């Protein structure tokens, strides 16, 4: 009788857990399956192997085959379609510009179907910090593990979602603000998380079980993230600020995808104001700069240059043909017409010449038309001390700007390794492919951009001259201050 009673209690408990899961989880499920994901990922892999401008730059064909087989097996073993989505073949190419984006409709379905990790975080050099003052754990507390997984293990797994060039690991800078969604997709059925953490200024570890939250709560909590940077400076393409106490000008440039007249107007106005105020220190913040036109990078550097400088870059690609045209689409998601395809082919054929020795097509004089190789300083060029803030969000043409500063010994780079390569990256033009079952869009760069006539690529970005010591980073973070900006001010003072 006693045994029957225990079994009855256990059955009741399991029923309650099952009911709770059903209540926590929305009835609406994504309209795709794991098999759909598996099929489209194989198509994406086939496209990338033929269309990517340098597919075997960081892996050989054998490593590519092993990696793709491994991803397919991981998809098969994934507990649900949400977890399967993380095993994209894009990660095999080590390319910051290659991207796979889910459709708006599917994204909406996913949001409505999963439970969210309960608070936003910052990931900083192997440390996870609570990044909200309204959550269940105090702001600035350090998280050591989630469900027994160490932060090192979590960061390693996140790299599959935070693409960078080559072997750069700072790409997680770009996704920590989206950690709640990224981690929740891998744990869509979770009811609660077991978290080990310590309070600020303490090393005593504590444990807490926190229930997952709804999509609406997840979005709300992510908007409460502190993110101790000047949000006004992140809100504009280019914006200048002036710190009278330290006599320092701060120019934040969040993109180089700018028309030259606009860029020149903004840059010139800032440096003229710095000169008018008599400042001897300038900080250029490109931590959130996703790149654009390298000619605009050179234009900005001309306001720092003390003498004419080399502005040398070119383009190359393994293919100038369009592979898998049946999946190719225009920016409006319209299937590419025959005229679209022919125009694309003609554009590339006119601007690239084949180099038999290397097997690459190299950009010719027509492609480089207008490029100023021996770039003169601007008449309003600044002659004082320069600091440049970089991080994993410093990509493409922004990395080129940081490289110009470093190679010409014109300033001090402060922050973290850039998210794209110092010697080369992919860039310029892009093709979009609509995958048939998931309706995801695969974006593939059409060429590789290499700087200063580089012949090799070590797979690393621009390495900063100074990195904020973690102890100082924590003190700034706990005070709600921008760590890199605050650190530079101490260097100036």
């Amino acid at each position: 009788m006693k045994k029957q009673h225990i079994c009855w209690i256990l059955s009741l408990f399991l029923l309650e857990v099952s009911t709770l899961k059903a209540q926590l989880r929305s009835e609406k499920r994504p309209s795709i399956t794991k098999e759909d994901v598996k099929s489209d990922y194989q198509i994406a892999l086939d496209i990338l192997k033929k269309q990517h401008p340098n597919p075997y730059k960081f892996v050989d064909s054998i490593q590519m085959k092993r990696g793709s087989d491994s991803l397919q097996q991981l998809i098969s073993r994934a507990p649900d379609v949400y977890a399967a989505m993380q095993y994209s073949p894009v990660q095999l190419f080590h390319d910051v510009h290659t991207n796979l984006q889910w459709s708006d409709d599917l994204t909406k379905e996913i949001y409505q179907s999963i439970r969210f990790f309960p608070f936003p975080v910052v990931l900083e050099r192997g440390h996870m910090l609570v990044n909200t003052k309204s959550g269940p754990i105090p702001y600035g507390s350090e998280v050591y593990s989630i469900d027994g997984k160490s932060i090192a293990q979590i960061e390693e797994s996140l790299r599959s979602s935070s693409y960078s060039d080559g072997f750069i690991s700072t790409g997680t800078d770009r996704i920590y603000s989206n950690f709640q969604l990224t981690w929740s997709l891998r744990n869509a059925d979770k009811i609660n998380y077991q978290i080990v953490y310590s309070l600020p200024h303490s090393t005593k570890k504590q444990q807490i079980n926190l229930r997952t939250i709804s999509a609406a709560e997840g979005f709300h909590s992510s908007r409460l993230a502190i993110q101790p940077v000047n949000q006004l400076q992140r809100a504009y393409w280019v914006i200048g600020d002036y710190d009278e106490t330290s006599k320092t000008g701060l120019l934040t440039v969040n993109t180089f995808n700018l028309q030259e007249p606009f860029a020149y107007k903004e840059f010139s106005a800032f440096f003229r104001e710095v000169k008018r105020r008599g400042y001897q220190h300038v900080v250029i913040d490109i931590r959130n700069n996703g790149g654009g036109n390298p000619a605009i990078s050179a234009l900005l550097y001309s306001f720092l240059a003390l003498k004419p400088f080399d502005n040398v870059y070119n383009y190359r690609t393994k293919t100038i043909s369009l592979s898998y045209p049946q999946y190719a689409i225009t920016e409006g998601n319209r299937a590419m017409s025959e005229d679209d395809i022919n125009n694309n082919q003609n554009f590339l054929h006119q601007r690239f010449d084949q180099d038999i020795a290397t097997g690459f097509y190299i950009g010719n004089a027509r492609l480089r038309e207008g490029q100023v190789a021996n770039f003169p300083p601007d008449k309003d060029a600044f002659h004082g001390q320069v600091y440049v803030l970089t991080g994993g969000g410093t990509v493409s043409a922004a990395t080129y700007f940081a490289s110009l500063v470093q190679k010409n010994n014109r300033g001090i780079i402060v922050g973290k390794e850039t998210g794209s390569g110092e010697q080369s990256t992919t860039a310029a033009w892009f093709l979009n492919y609509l995958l048939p079952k998931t309706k995801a869009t695969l974006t593939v760069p059409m060429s590789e951009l290499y700087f200063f006539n580089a012949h090799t690529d070590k797979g690393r970005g621009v390495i900063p001259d100074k990195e904020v010591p973690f102890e100082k980073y924590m003190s700034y973070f706990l005070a709600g201050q921008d760590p890199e900006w605050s650190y530079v001010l101490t260097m100036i003072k």
Side-chain angles (χ1 to χ4, degrees):
M1 182 69 180
K2 185 176 181 181
K3 184 177 180 181
Q4 290 177 338
H5 183 66
I6 292 173
C7 290
W8 178 80
I9 292 175
L10 181 59
S11 299
L12 183 62
F13 171 75
L14 292 174
L15 178 62
E16 288 176 349
V17 170
S18 177
T19 303
L20 178 60
K21 281 188 176 183
Q23 291 172 345
L24 288 175
R25 195 68 173 274
S26 166
E27 293 181 0
K28 189 171 184 180
R29 307 287 292 189
S31 53
I32 63 170
T33 65
K34 284 203 306 179
E35 290 306 312
D36 293 333
V37 171
K38 196 172 184 178
S39 173
D40 274 5
Y41 278 5
Q42 183 58 53
I43 292 172
L45 178 64
D46 293 340
I47 292 172
L48 285 166
K49 286 194 289 189
K50 289 190 175 182
Q51 192 66 67
H52 193 276
N54 198 355
Y56 299 105
K57 182 177 181 178
F58 297 112
V59 294
D60 58 31
S61 58
I62 296 175
Q63 292 170 320
M64 181 75 74
K65 180 67 167 61
R66 288 173 181 166
S68 61
D69 289 346
S70 175
L71 291 179
Q72 289 284 323
Q73 292 170 12
L74 289 168
I75 291 173
S76 298
R77 294 200 298 266
D80 53 37
V81 66
Y82 313 101
M85 290 175 176
Q86 70 182 292
Y87 301 117
S88 166
V90 171
Q91 62 191 264
L92 301 174
F93 291 80
H94 302 274
D95 176 13
V96 72
H97 288 95
T98 302
N99 182 46
L100 194 148
Q101 183 71 41
W102 301 104
S103 70
D104 290 342
D105 287 343
L106 181 57
T107 301
K108 189 188 302 180
E109 289 182 11
I110 292 170
Y111 287 157
Q112 293 173 333
S113 301
I114 67 172
R115 301 288 298 178
F116 275 69
F117 187 78
F119 55 85
V121 303
V122 164
L123 293 166
E124 178 66 24
R125 286 170 278 180
H127 300 267
M128 179 181 286
L129 308 174
V130 176
N131 194 27
T132 178
K133 293 185 177 180
S134 62
I137 303 177
Y139 171 74
S141 296
E142 180 166 358
V143 176
Y144 295 99
S145 67
I146 301 173
D147 289 338
K149 290 185 174 65
S150 69
I151 303 309
Q153 291 173 315
I154 291 171
E155 273 202 309
E156 182 60 35
S157 70
L158 287 176
R159 290 197 179 108
S160 65
S161 304
S162 58
Y163 312 125
S164 296
D165 283 345
F167 312 109
I168 300 167
S169 63
T170 55
T172 49
D173 286 3
R174 297 193 302 279
I175 67 163
Y176 77 67
S177 59
N178 212 21
F179 175 80
Q180 287 174 278
L181 174 61
T182 305
W183 196 245
S184 301
L185 280 170
R186 303 170 186 206
N187 300 275
D189 278 323
K190 293 290 291 185
I191 296 175
N192 57 60
Y193 286 100
Q194 185 182 84
I195 297 170
V196 176
Y197 71 99
S198 67
L199 296 173
H201 309 296
S202 172
T203 57
K204 182 181 179 181
K205 294 183 179 180
Q206 305 183 42
Q207 182 173 302
I208 189 173
N209 289 327
L210 294 177
R211 176 155 309 176
T212 54
I213 57 180
S214 69
E217 293 170 315
F219 268 82
H220 180 69
S221 67
S222 69
R223 299 305 186 270
L224 298 177
I226 302 298
Q227 294 180 333
V229 295
N230 187 322
Q231 295 300 321
L232 176 62
Q233 291 163 358
R234 293 290 173 93
Y236 291 89
W237 291 336
V238 182
I239 186 169
D241 203 357
Y242 309 91
D243 185 68
E244 192 63 32
T245 303
S246 63
K247 305 295 184 184
T248 300
L250 170 62
L251 180 67
T252 303
V253 184
N254 290 313
T255 182
F256 284 116
N257 188 22
L258 304 169
Q259 294 297 316
E260 182 176 329
F262 171 82
Y264 188 84
K265 174 179 72 71
E266 295 291 320
F267 299 160
S268 179
F270 171 78
F271 284 101
R272 285 179 180 176
E273 181 63 18
V274 164
K275 184 177 182 180
R276 187 189 72 79
R277 292 173 179 244
Y279 289 179
Q280 291 303 309
H281 303 277
V282 159
V283 179
I284 311 291
D285 185 357
I286 53 171
R287 288 173 295 175
N288 197 47
N289 190 314
N293 185 351
I296 305 301
S297 306
L299 177 64
L300 176 57
Y301 182 72
S302 73
F303 283 90
L304 306 175
L306 303 179
K307 59 182 180 180
F309 60 95
D310 291 336
N311 174 44
V312 180
Y313 54 87
N314 201 357
Y315 303 87
R316 61 190 169 203
T317 178
K318 282 286 188 180
T319 179
I320 56 173
S321 300
L322 178 64
S323 301
Y324 296 89
Q326 65 270 34
Y327 301 120
I329 58 173
T330 64
E331 289 187 2
N333 280 353
R334 174 180 60 80
M336 268 195 175
S337 67
E338 189 171 338
D339 283 344
D340 293 327
I341 293 170
N342 289 336
N343 289 338
N344 183 75
Q345 300 275 105
N346 290 336
F347 177 87
L348 296 175
H349 274 278
Q350 293 170 39
R351 289 165 175 80
F352 285 89
D353 297 329
Q354 189 171 24
D355 179 8
I356 302 298
T358 64
F360 278 94
Y361 291 88
I362 308 296
N364 58 32
R366 182 168 182 183
L367 185 59
R368 300 191 304 276
E369 187 177 4
Q371 180 179 331
V372 181
N374 188 35
F375 211 117
D378 189 83
K379 63 180 179 295
D380 292 319
F382 174 72
H383 289 185
Q385 179 64 54
V386 176
Y387 302 84
V388 178
L389 308 185
T390 64
T394 306
V395 172
S396 195
T399 295
Y400 179 53
F401 173 77
S403 184
L404 282 169
V405 172
Q406 195 171 68
K407 285 182 180 299
N408 289 284
N409 297 311
R410 186 59 190 95
I412 300 173
I413 310 295
V414 179
K416 297 185 205 171
E417 182 178 6
T418 60
S420 64
E422 176 188 16
Q423 292 155 307
S424 69
T425 187
T426 53
W429 312 275
F430 297 85
L431 286 169
N432 292 320
Y433 293 88
L434 186 66
L435 303 182
K437 294 187 176 180
T438 62
K439 305 304 179 186
T441 301
L442 175 69
T443 300
V444 186
M446 296 170 65
S447 71
E448 185 179 19
L449 174 63
Y450 60 101
F451 307 114
F452 309 110
N453 293 319
H455 296 289
T456 60
D457 192 333
K458 299 176 182 177
R460 302 306 301 265
V462 172
I463 306 298
D465 302 302
K466 298 279 187 179
E467 187 173 25
V468 183
F470 184 71
E471 295 76 14
K472 287 187 176 294
Y473 180 95
M474 277 300 299
S475 67
Y476 297 134
F477 182 79
L478 291 173
Q481 298 173 357
D482 182 326
E484 281 80 22
W485 167 244
S486 301
Y487 185 61
V488 166
L489 287 181
T490 64
M491 295 171 65
I492 292 172
K493 292 174 183 178

